[in-house]
Amino acid sequence: MKALCFRGNFVFYNLNQMETMTLASELQLQDGQYELQGQQVLAMCEKYGTPLYLYDGNRIRHQYQQMHTAFSKLNGKIKYAAKSLTNINILKLLKNLGSGLDTVSFQEVKMGILAGFEPKDIIYTPNCVSFEEIQAAVELGVMINIDNISILEQFGHEYEGSVPVCIRLNPHITAGGNANIQVGHIDSKFGISVYQLRHVHRIIKANKMNVVGLHAHTGSDILNPASYVQTANILFELAHQFENLEFIDFGSGFKVPYKPDGMSTDVMAIGAILEKSYRQFCEEYGREVELWFEPGKYLTSEAGYFLAKVNVIKPTPATVFVGVDSGLNHLIRPMLYNAHHEITNLSNPEGTKRIYTVVGYICETDTFGSDRKLSEVREGDILAIHNAGAYGYAMSSNYNSRYRPAEVLLYEGKDHLIRRRENFDDLLRTQIDVEL
């Protein structure tokens, strides 16, 4: 049994109730064939080719509904983190489910509006961008979230109180599964330090600014829910210094399982724990404010499968390599974050288990998984890399002048091509041939 402190009150919880220990996967083995929503996945590869991103829209809907239920008693609003997966059809799906949008670039703002989101339902949280980009977002009418004192001053000089604004704070909490995604610590480039609040208030007062929101995000893949709740309570405390708040934004960071015995943040339990603290805050503040959450990976990660064909089997004195028709240009997370993604041999599910290292075709060491126990792999087999719905295609590139893959959305049993595979013309589309 553990204890969390809420503004002087202790709430006890069981750690096992805060985490789900099963890998959520919708792939089903039926009569020797892997199926998703009743459709054979290998048939999808034959229809659309490989490599291929395949998204389970039903899973996205399930994750959204779970989070919506978890925070329904907190006047909660979900703002999908577009950077996770920006395909306009995914944005439309989440918009139709009732989500708002969290954006980090002016281009994401425009994508959201194109997908049908109302500007009032979009929050724009830039980092180290030009003031001109922020002005362009203001013109579109979205909520601006400022995480830099210099920009806050410029914003105040330009708009004073005519444009409502949110302020992103850095609570100096280290949380997250990898150093690259820990963004709330004292050495982070994100947010305005809570120790700079006196300066912040001077800027607000001098420019008569209208601050309607507070925001904090400490990191992604947070294992310990106490870190998330600690940040929430810091914001509740600081909120009393701002009179006109309409919302408090807790960011995201909810973890999903990447291994069969992996852990996932139990959002239902967090919602229940936050409720008491939230009600106490509202009573002291004198009215209710909305609580905003910005899930990205939580909504899309488990919905995505990256499908690749085996080009070669290459035994060496130490390792048996499986070389596929993809690489870090399509899915960089295992190389960038040392992220674990489960791998399944779709073509030979009943084969003898053997140990392989799955690698790509890029002229770099691009390893998807080392020393993995897979059903015997043969040249021509199709492998499925799990948890590829978040920061997969969104971080892809044309490195080695390779084409980016197609994307397919499977929703309510029907498959939709939502991005065609690139071709050679796409590589040259923005290049200008000059005489030298």
Side-chain angles (χ1 to χ4, degrees):
M1 212 51 117
K2 302 269 185 171
L4 296 180
C5 181
F6 291 109
R7 299 161 55 78
N9 298 315
F10 285 87
V11 177
F12 290 90
Y13 70 93
N14 188 314
L15 187 60
N16 292 330
Q17 294 174 345
M18 298 293 291
E19 298 161 347
T20 303
M21 303 299 291
T22 58
L23 178 69
S25 175
E26 300 298 326
L27 275 183
Q28 301 291 330
L29 188 60
Q30 298 287 343
D31 300 323
Q33 287 277 350
Y34 278 102
E35 295 183 352
L36 188 64
Q37 294 185 28
Q39 294 219 34
Q40 292 186 357
V41 179
L42 289 180
M44 294 279 187
C45 295
E46 293 176 7
K47 182 176 181 179
Y48 297 107
T50 60
L52 177 70
Y53 274 100
L54 178 62
Y55 307 123
D56 180 357
N58 290 4
R59 183 71 195 181
I60 294 174
R61 181 177 60 192
H62 171 271
Q63 294 295 103
Y64 177 85
Q65 291 173 340
Q66 186 177 53
M67 179 162 280
H68 181 268
T69 300
F71 301 128
S72 60
K73 294 182 180 180
L74 302 174
N75 203 4
K77 303 293 182 184
I78 297 173
K79 308 288 180 177
Y80 168 62
K83 65 178 181 175
S84 165
L85 179 57
T86 54
N87 188 291
I88 194 169
N89 297 282
I90 302 299
L91 299 183
K92 287 180 179 178
L93 171 59
L94 283 155
K95 185 261 180 186
N96 291 339
L97 290 173
S99 179
L101 199 64
D102 161 47
T103 62
V104 295
S105 72
F106 182 64
Q107 292 77 14
E108 285 185 355
V109 171
K110 293 201 295 184
M111 286 282 285
I113 291 174
L114 186 62
F117 287 92
E118 294 291 334
K120 65 180 178 63
D121 294 324
I122 300 175
I123 183 169
Y124 167 57
T125 307
N127 178 261
C128 296
V129 307
S130 69
F131 190 65
E132 287 74 21
E133 179 172 324
I134 293 173
Q135 288 177 303
V138 169
E139 290 298 314
L140 293 180
V142 301
M143 175 57 61
I144 308 297
N145 188 16
I146 296 177
D147 84 333
N148 182 296
I149 281 184
S150 172
I151 295 296
L152 186 66
E153 288 181 325
Q154 294 179 62
F155 197 91
H157 295 331
E158 180 72 18
Y159 300 107
E160 294 187 329
S162 64
V163 177
V165 68
C166 176
I167 295 177
R168 177 175 182 171
L169 299 174
N170 183 335
H172 302 306
I173 294 174
T174 300
N178 181 283
N180 290 343
I181 51 177
Q182 294 172 348
V183 297
H185 54 83
I186 196 168
D187 215 22
S188 172
K189 70 170 184 171
F190 297 96
I192 299 173
S193 170
V194 292
Y195 299 120
Q196 295 175 294
L197 268 180
R198 180 172 293 184
H199 192 175
V200 168
H201 283 296
R202 285 171 175 163
I203 295 171
I204 293 169
K205 182 178 180 180
N207 294 288
K208 301 177 182 178
M209 299 179 71
N210 183 20
V211 178
V212 298
L214 291 183
H215 174 282
H217 175 61
T218 57
S220 299
D221 276 359
I222 296 174
L223 283 172
N224 184 3
S227 298
Y228 194 88
V229 178
Q230 181 185 5
T231 302
N233 286 323
I234 289 174
L235 287 184
F236 284 147
E237 289 283 0
L238 297 178
H240 290 281
Q241 301 180 26
F242 299 85
E243 298 178 351
N244 300 319
L245 293 184
E246 298 174 4
F247 66 91
I248 299 175
D249 191 331
F250 294 147
S252 183
F254 303 116
K255 183 173 175 56
V256 295
Y258 279 83
K259 298 180 181 180
D261 60 347
M263 293 181 291
S264 175
T265 308
D266 188 337
V267 294
M268 298 297 293
I270 286 185
I273 291 173
L274 279 177
E275 184 179 359
K276 181 177 181 180
S277 188
Y278 170 66
R279 293 300 171 194
Q280 182 177 343
F281 163 75
C282 291
E283 183 177 347
E284 295 173 357
Y285 195 68
R287 56 184 171 83
E288 282 197 358
V289 300
E290 294 179 348
L291 298 189
W292 290 9
F293 302 89
E294 301 173 348
K297 183 186 300 182
Y298 185 84
L299 297 181
T300 62
S301 177
E302 294 170 281
Y305 301 90
F306 185 55
L307 309 174
K309 184 176 71 174
V310 177
N311 283 337
V312 296
I313 306 294
K314 182 180 180 179
T316 72
T319 305
V320 179
F321 289 103
V322 172
V324 300
D325 63 348
S326 179
L328 63 81
N329 56 320
H330 296 154
L331 181 62
I332 198 172
R333 293 191 76 256
M335 293 59 105
L336 183 61
Y337 300 124
N338 195 31
H340 178 95
H341 291 256
E342 285 291 294
I343 302 174
T344 301
N345 185 355
L346 301 182
S347 302
N348 189 26
E350 305 298 337
T352 302
K353 299 291 185 181
R354 303 190 186 282
I355 305 299
Y356 302 96
T357 291
V358 180
V359 297
Y361 61 8
I362 291 298
C363 191
E364 299 273 354
T365 300
D366 55 346
T367 303
F368 290 112
S370 299
D371 299 330
R372 298 294 184 87
K373 185 182 290 187
L374 306 175
S375 299
E376 184 174 8
V377 181
R378 307 154 302 185
E379 293 178 357
D381 281 356
I382 302 295
L383 303 185
I385 300 177
H386 298 241
N387 280 90
Y391 307 102
Y393 194 99
M395 299 180 77
S396 65
S397 73
N398 292 121
Y399 187 46
N400 285 190
S401 294
R402 294 287 185 179
Y403 309 140
R404 280 178 287 196
E407 293 178 293
V408 170
L409 173 64
L410 186 58
Y411 190 56
E412 295 184 344
K414 184 176 180 180
D415 54 294
H416 307 270
L417 180 66
I418 59 174
R419 193 191 305 261
R420 66 165 173 81
R421 189 176 311 281
E422 289 182 338
N423 56 41
F424 192 69
D425 288 340
D426 293 314
L427 297 182
L428 298 175
R429 194 171 305 279
T430 58
Q431 297 188 38
I432 299 173
D433 189 9
V434 301
E435 294 292 332
L436 299 176

